[in-house]
């Protein structure tokens, strides 16, 4: 991949810095890289970018080819399936050549029941543009929306923008009748907002110095932000919060949660100056979610030993004691309840069973029906359903071979109506996409402790099982977040080059319910890493690939997984892609002033106060365990303005790999104008994905040369 004129890799200077906890002193020679304002640090990052560019210069043709495939297969001018809210159809659309979405609405015509949906993705007749993100972004290097909320009565729009990637948003209000932006301007807000019923008041959230959302504010429209009032402040640093408006617009809610405990507060949206009432006071280890259903609450909770959660009812605005809730769907050990949507005549429960997601519809008369789908491996999830009185339920469906599909489910008759399937256009060579040319499988690896670990994989039909196929293995495994089997246009560029794509559903995720998560966190975190290595070994042993053709990929907490797997079994992989990787986990979790620290102690443990946690984390954190051994090629990608996983973690990791390990090469790419999610515009994101895929293709197929 490199060229003859490639410069030597940057060599980071070493400045000894001592860290002492629990009688253990560690010398960190690269701690100085944490100062993002130091010109020497910025110069080092730029030097790493230059080295990465030189090393990947030979991929320019392949990268352009992959980018062209992603672009050609994507219907660039497209329109989402409109969702009805009051007298309007609301939707978003994209335009060929433009980076960002345009958010729109159109009046519902007399007798119009099904959403209007032009095949060419062009604007609907009579369209009103709510917000054109392309106009807002202009020539900015980064742009992202944090809130987008039309008020009850559809007269005002609240929206917030971030132009750096640090997730600090400026909140503004637009008058939809005049199209003018009001003078109201509120800086440094967090995601989301909630309107009062009469649209005179807007509630929003701000963060503390550690980027923890901890305050809810009340803003009266037309007044300066300096007059805004704090209506809730969370003092416990383990907890964060968010603000919501119920489906019927009648209740403003504050969710307060830690990794193990939650609490909800409700306020009548017709009385925005009133006082929030707690649904049930927090009790350590009790988690619950609240859904307003007319004159009662539907509550998904884990109280009383319901490890996979159960569904209960309670009167509005709550009983004040979770032990008085009335069970509606009792706890079932094989079914993890994920959420509930309430409507006037039906209730829809979102769940997970046997590694797959599902939806169950409950009628008012007690009849229960699960929505059925034909494929053995798939993902189904709730769509946008904003009206309390609606009798159809919008849902999304896809699999590893079926593009994203939008259905309306008739909650009365049980019929499914296909509204739209994600278009997949022909390749640049004119070859049309055909799902029956691909096949998906579920495999099971066996971890060192005997646990069976599921693997989802997809490939072209006829892919050999003799170890000759290249493979990309993806993993995450934290926060009970599941990596479900879904469709990807960009992935076709791998599959059509003979790749197998696999997902390792390792412990720490939620694929097999809450116990799967519990046994992959805290002092059982190493199960996540050994599960992943076992999945890699299984793919090799069963002939799907070979170690010299296997590339691993993960991001954020999945980047921690990548670093740990590299230390555990460097010979198991030809290459590793680690995006915004959490590879200096112990240092970060020791510092309460940083994001991802105090709120994370219930995920990783508290190494600051607990020696057992400290030494356990020290034994696996990737940066501190780089060995003097041959490592595979590693490509780390980070962002300078990332507030979740700070850029210096992968920068230090790559520096130590160069200094201690052999093998490689070890590459670092730092986006200088982006945050945790990487590049913001869709074409920019495709370019970055094309680079990662080109690097993966070249790395996994190098043995064939």
């Amino acid at each position: 991949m490199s060229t003859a004129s490639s410069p030597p890799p940057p060599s980071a200077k070493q400045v000894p810095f001592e860290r002492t906890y629990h009688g253990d002193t560690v010398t960190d020679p690269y701690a100085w890289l944490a100062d993002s304002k130091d010109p020497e640090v910025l110069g080092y990052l730029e030097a790493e970018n230059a080295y990465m560019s030189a090393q990947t210069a030979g991929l320019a043709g392949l990268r352009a080819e992959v980018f062209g495939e992603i672009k050609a297969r994507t219907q660039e001018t497209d329109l989402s399936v409109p969702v009805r809210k009051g007298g309007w159809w609301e939707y978003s659309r994209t335009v060929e050549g433009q980076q960002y979405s345009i958010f729109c609405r159109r009046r519902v015509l007399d007798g119009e029941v099904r959403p209007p949906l032009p095949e060419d993705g062009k604007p609907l007749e009579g369209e009103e543009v709510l917000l054109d993100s392309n106009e807002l972004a202009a020539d900015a290097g980064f742009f992202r929306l944090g809130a987008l909320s039309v008020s009850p009565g559809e007269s005002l729009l609240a929206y917030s923008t971030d132009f750096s990637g640090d997730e600090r948003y400026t909140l503004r209000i637009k008058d939809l009748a005049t199209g003018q932006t009001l003078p109201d301007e509120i800086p440094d807000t967090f995601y989301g907002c909630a309107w009062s019923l009469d649209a005179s008041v807007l509630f929003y959230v701000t963060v503390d110095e550690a980027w923890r959302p901890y305050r809810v504010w009340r803003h009266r429209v037309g007044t300066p932000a300096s007059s805004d009032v704090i209506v809730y402040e969370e003092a416990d640093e383990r907890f964060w919060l968010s603000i919501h408006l119920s489906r019927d617009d009648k209740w403003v809610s504050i969710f307060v949660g830690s990794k193990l405990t939650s609490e909800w507060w409700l306020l009548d949206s017709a009385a925005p100056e009133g006082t929030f009432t707690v649904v049930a006071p927090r009790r350590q280890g009790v988690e619950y979610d609240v859904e307003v259903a007319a004159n009662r609450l539907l509550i998904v909770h884990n109280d009383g030993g319901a490890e996979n959660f159960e569904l209960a009812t309670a009167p509005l605005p709550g009983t004040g004691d979770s032990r008085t809730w009335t069970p509606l769907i009792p706890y079932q050990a094989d079914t993890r309840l994920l959420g509930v949507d309430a409507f006037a005549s039906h209730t829809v429960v979102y769940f997970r069973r046997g590694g797959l997601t599902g939806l169950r519809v409950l009628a008012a008369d007690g009849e229960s029906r699960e929505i059925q789908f034909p494929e053995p491996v798939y993902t189904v999830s709730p769509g946008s359903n904003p009206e309390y009185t609606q009798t159809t339920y919008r849902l999304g469906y896809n699999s590893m071979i079926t593009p994203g599909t939008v259905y309306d489910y008739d909650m009365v008759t049980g019929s499914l109506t296909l509204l739209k399937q994600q278009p997949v256009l022909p390749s640049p060579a004119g070859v049309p996409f055909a799902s029956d040319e691909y096949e998906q499988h579920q495999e099971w690896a066996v971890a060192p402790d005997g646990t069976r670990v599921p693997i989802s994989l997809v490939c072209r039909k006829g892919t050999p099982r003799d170890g000759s196929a290249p493979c990309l293995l993806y993993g995450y495994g934290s926060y009970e977040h599941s990596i479900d089997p879904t469709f990807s246009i960009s992935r076709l560029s791998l599959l059509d080059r003979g790749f197998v794509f696999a997902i390792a559903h390792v412990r720490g995720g939620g694929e097999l319910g809450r116990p799967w998560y519990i046994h992959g966190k805290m002092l059982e975190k190493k199960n996540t890493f050994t599960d992943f290595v076992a999945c890699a070994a299984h793919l090799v042993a069963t002939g799907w690939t070979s170690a010299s053709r296997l590339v691993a990929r993960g991001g954020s907490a999945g980047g921690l997984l990548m670093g740990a797997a590299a230390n555990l079994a460097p010979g198991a992989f030809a290459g590793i892609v680690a995006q915004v990787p959490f590879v200096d986990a112990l240092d970060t979790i020791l510092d309460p002033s940083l994001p991802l620290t105090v709120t994370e102690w219930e995920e990783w443990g508290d190494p600051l106060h607990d020696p057992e946690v400290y030494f356990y984390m020290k034994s696996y954190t990737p940066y501190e365990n780089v060995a003097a051994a041959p490592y595979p090629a590693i490509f780390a990608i980070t962002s300078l303005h990332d507030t979740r996983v700070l850029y210096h973690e992968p920068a230090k990791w790559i520096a130590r790999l160069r200094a201690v390990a052999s093998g490689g090469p070890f590459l670092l790419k730092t986006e200088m104008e982006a945050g945790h999610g990487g590049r913001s515009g869709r074409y920019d994101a495709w370019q970055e994905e094309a680079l990662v895929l080109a690097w993966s293709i070249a790395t996994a197929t190098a043995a064939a040369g």
Side-chain angles (χ1 to χ4, degrees), residues 219-437:
H219 171 78
R220 183 158 290 280
V221 176
T223 65
S226 58
S227 300
D228 292 354
V229 176
I230 299 171
V231 297
Y232 185 93
E233 180 171 339
E234 179 53 53
D236 191 328
E237 293 182 351
R238 297 174 302 157
F239 287 77
W240 64 92
L241 52 79
S242 56
I243 189 80
H244 311 271
L245 184 64
S246 63
R247 181 176 281 107
D248 61 6
D249 294 336
K250 293 181 179 179
W251 295 90
V252 177
S253 61
I254 298 173
F255 166 77
V256 187
S258 74
K259 301 295 182 186
L260 300 174
T261 307
S262 57
E263 183 177 75
W264 285 79
W265 296 74
L266 294 178
L267 172 70
D268 184 343
S269 66
E273 306 281 348
T275 302
F276 282 85
T277 301
V278 67
V279 173
R282 70 189 69 169
R283 284 190 291 126
Q284 182 67 18
V286 176
E287 299 170 65
Y288 69 95
D289 278 324
V290 168
E291 172 80 355
V292 176
N295 61 350
R296 66 174 183 168
L297 295 175
L298 294 177
I299 302 174
V300 178
H301 70 92
N302 69 343
D303 198 10
E307 188 174 41
N308 265 338
F309 291 70
E310 67 178 24
L311 180 62
T313 64
L316 266 170
T319 63
D321 187 347
S322 61
R323 288 164 288 200
T324 64
W325 295 338
T326 303
L328 182 61
I329 297 180
Y331 164 70
Q332 295 173 283
D334 67 343
T335 303
R336 168 69 161 99
L337 298 189
L338 300 173
V340 61
D341 287 326
F343 303 93
S345 60
H346 290 78
T347 298
V348 181
V349 180
Y350 181 37
F351 65 88
R352 182 180 297 279
R353 183 190 303 127
L356 298 178
T357 51
L359 295 167
R360 178 179 175 184
V361 181
L362 309 176
D365 61 6
E367 180 189 4
S368 175
R369 184 193 305 123
E370 288 189 12
I371 306 177
Q372 301 297 316
F373 301 96
E375 294 181 277
V377 179
Y378 60 84
T379 299
V380 62
S381 58
S384 180
N385 295 280
E387 290 201 315
Y388 182 68
T389 57
Q390 66 188 67
T391 58
T392 59
Y393 187 79
R394 180 69 53 82
L395 62 91
Y397 173 90
N398 71 153
S399 73
M400 299 181 88
I401 62 174
T402 300
T405 307
V406 179
Y407 289 102
D408 268 353
Y409 178 80
D410 190 310
M411 292 186 281
V412 177
T413 67
S415 62
L416 271 175
T417 300
L418 172 65
L419 299 177
K420 182 176 182 177
Q421 187 169 85
Q422 175 188 12
V424 183
L425 304 182
S427 70
V431 179
F433 168 75
S435 62
D436 60 4
E437 294 180 359

Side-chain angles (χ1 to χ4, degrees), residues 20 177 475 608 623 652:
T20 301
L608 185 61
Y623 173 63
K652 290 167 60 177

Side-chain angles (χ1 to χ4, degrees), residues 467-470 497 499 546 548-550 574 697-705:
S468 64
R497 287 174 172 81
F499 265 73
S546 59
S548 63
R549 296 169 182 259
L550 179 59
I697 292 165
T699 300
T701 57

Side-chain angles (χ1 to χ4, degrees), residues 3 10 34 60 86 95 99 115 119 143 180 221 223 288 293 322 354 380 392-393 397 418 444 466 610 618 621 625:
T3 65
V95 176
Q99 293 267 29
E119 291 185 5
F143 172 81
Q180 299 300 307
V221 176
T223 65
Y288 69 95
S322 61
V380 62
T392 59
Y393 187 79
Y397 173 90
L418 172 65
W444 293 85
D466 59 3
D610 188 332
K618 185 185 177 186
T621 189
N625 288 281

Side-chain angles (χ1 to χ4, degrees), residues 446-531:
V446 179
D449 64 358
T451 300
R452 298 177 74 238
V453 183
I455 305 170
S456 298
L457 63 87
V458 61
C459 61
R460 283 194 72 94
K461 287 183 177 177
T463 298
R465 294 284 298 273
D466 59 3
S468 64
C471 177
L472 193 150
L473 177 62
Y474 189 89
Y476 187 75
S478 292
Y479 306 110
E480 203 180 358
H481 177 69
S482 301
I483 305 298
D484 290 312
T486 57
F487 184 82
S488 166
I489 282 181
S490 62
R491 189 185 301 147
L492 296 175
S493 293
L494 292 178
L495 304 183
D496 290 349
R497 287 174 172 81
F499 265 73
V500 173
F501 177 85
I503 303 169
H505 301 292
V506 296
R507 280 174 284 184
E511 286 88 341
L512 297 181
R514 175 54 66 91
W516 198 246
Y517 167 54
I518 295 297
H519 295 303
K521 63 179 293 191
M522 304 286 280
L523 295 175
E524 295 185 81
K525 187 62 201 172
K526 290 182 183 179
N527 287 335
T528 303
F529 316 138
T530 53
D531 283 0

